[in-house]
Amino acid sequence: MPTRIALVTRPAVGGIRRHLHTLISGLQQAGWEPLLLAPPDFMVEGLSVPQYPMAFSVRQSPPAHIRTVFQLTRWLQMQAPHIVHAHGLWAALLTAPATWRAQLPFVFTLHNLIPRLSAPQRLFFQWAAKRASRIIAVSEAVARTAEAVGIPSQWIEVIPNGIDPTPFLQLPSRKEARAQLSLPLDRPVVASVGRLSQEKGFDVLLVAAQRLANQPVPPLVVIAGDGPERASLAQQASSLKHVRLLGPLPSVEPLYAAADLVVIPSREEGQGIVAIEAMFARKAIVATAVGGLMETLDGGRCGRLVPPGDAVALAEAIGELLADPAGREHAIEAAFRRATALYTADRMVARHLALYQELLPKKIFC
């Protein structure tokens, strides 16, 4: 009988969704049986996994939260998975009392930097952490924010996100990619991709693009993605000649193939999966010195780091790196070696399996 693991998640896009897709695929390949408890609209494309609708939203009222805990408790008692793994702070807070009542091993992953908590929230988080057999953080930066709200460091294990590098090692040619995206061949392309939300800092990149327009050969700044800031970013970009907003893309590989440089202008970042993609795609990176981005890029050895929110510094770094082919190649090679050593899906899944097996009785190992 395969080992059954319940994966619990809140509403999520971007990093958490990508992480769960990778983890579920790896667990299935290892012979485990993952069960997904998630909001009804949470999709895991390309995988066949039993999914059970469950509401986990910070916008719910307290009575709704209590109903969710009781619903989850009943499900856990009936299904009796061998271990429960919650993803995201809010899912962890609601899963902790349910696993406590169901008397099941419980771990949770912190994917983002922990925001400022009120005193009651802090106490509840500390209580939930005590219920967990282990807490996973996707970066040292995320782990430090957990420690700052009273979680002992020995309770936390850092397991970085990993991706399947294969699509980024088999990119189309620059010419093919630019033709596919209707981008010119005769100018540098600076690419950025992600959820169009305030914390991702795309508005700062647009200000930097305005400054870069004064260069003899202005780079074309291309932004791909969707999100709540799309309309305001479109309005901001409407007067900028050297900017294109592509909207969401069916796949990001052509964008990386077309790019001379990848920019990550985030105001905050738990780790930065876009950085990992760019590292495998062998693209030079300019990013902000925030959260997990700093360790992903090895303190600036694998990419240029600038202060968050500083459009002047961002424009200068982009211009300098575009003018320095040797510097780009040096950073690209360092980044590729680091990604290969630390940020593969195989490594991430293997470390999760090792952690799970520490927590489970020997007799139920796969």
Side-chain angles (χ1 to χ4, degrees), residues 64-287:
H65 293 321
I66 294 171
R67 287 195 297 271
T68 297
V69 170
F70 277 101
Q71 180 187 6
L72 180 56
T73 301
R74 288 194 298 271
W75 186 93
L76 293 173
Q77 290 171 336
M78 290 176 59
Q79 297 291 331
H82 297 109
I83 194 167
V84 182
H85 186 171
H87 291 265
L89 176 59
W90 199 250
L93 293 178
L94 296 180
T95 303
T99 53
W100 177 56
R101 290 173 59 86
Q103 298 184 354
L104 292 171
F106 165 55
V107 299
F108 67 85
T109 296
L110 296 170
H111 292 267
N112 300 303
L113 305 172
I114 297 176
R116 183 175 297 177
L117 301 177
S118 67
Q121 288 173 331
R122 185 175 177 135
L123 288 172
F124 189 27
F125 178 50
Q126 291 170 351
W127 179 87
K130 288 179 181 178
R131 306 280 75 74
S133 302
R134 197 71 56 83
I135 300 165
I136 301 170
V138 298
S139 67
E140 294 287 350
V142 170
R144 287 194 295 270
T145 64
E147 293 167 21
V149 293
I151 307 305
S153 60
Q154 63 267 27
W155 295 3
I156 304 170
E157 181 166 346
V158 175
I159 302 180
N161 284 308
I163 66 171
D164 176 6
T166 306
F168 304 98
L169 304 178
Q170 302 172 350
L171 295 176
S173 70
R174 180 175 182 268
K175 183 177 181 180
E176 291 170 336
R178 292 202 179 187
Q180 182 177 339
L181 298 173
S182 300
L183 301 177
L185 277 172
D186 58 349
R187 356 176 5 191
V189 168
V190 172
S192 196
V193 59
R195 185 168 186 261
L196 305 185
S197 53
Q198 193 270 345
E199 74 275 7
K200 296 300 182 181
F202 291 112
D203 57 318
V204 181
L205 177 56
L206 292 180
V207 176
Q210 190 171 10
R211 298 183 65 88
L212 289 165
N214 298 323
Q215 292 197 348
V217 182
L220 182 63
V221 175
V222 179
I223 299 174
D226 201 359
E229 298 293 312
R230 185 173 179 178
S232 63
L233 291 171
Q235 183 177 6
Q236 184 182 354
S238 62
S239 61
L240 302 178
K241 181 180 178 182
H242 304 293
V243 170
R244 291 194 192 172
L245 302 185
L246 300 181
L249 298 176
S251 65
V252 295
E253 289 86 351
L255 182 65
Y256 288 116
D260 296 289
L261 193 68
V262 173
V263 177
I264 307 167
S266 303
R267 290 183 170 90
E268 60 180 66
E269 198 73 64
Q271 183 190 9
I273 290 181
V274 170
I276 299 171
E277 292 175 342
M279 293 162 82
F280 278 119
R282 293 180 178 268
K283 296 298 171 178
I285 301 168
V286 175

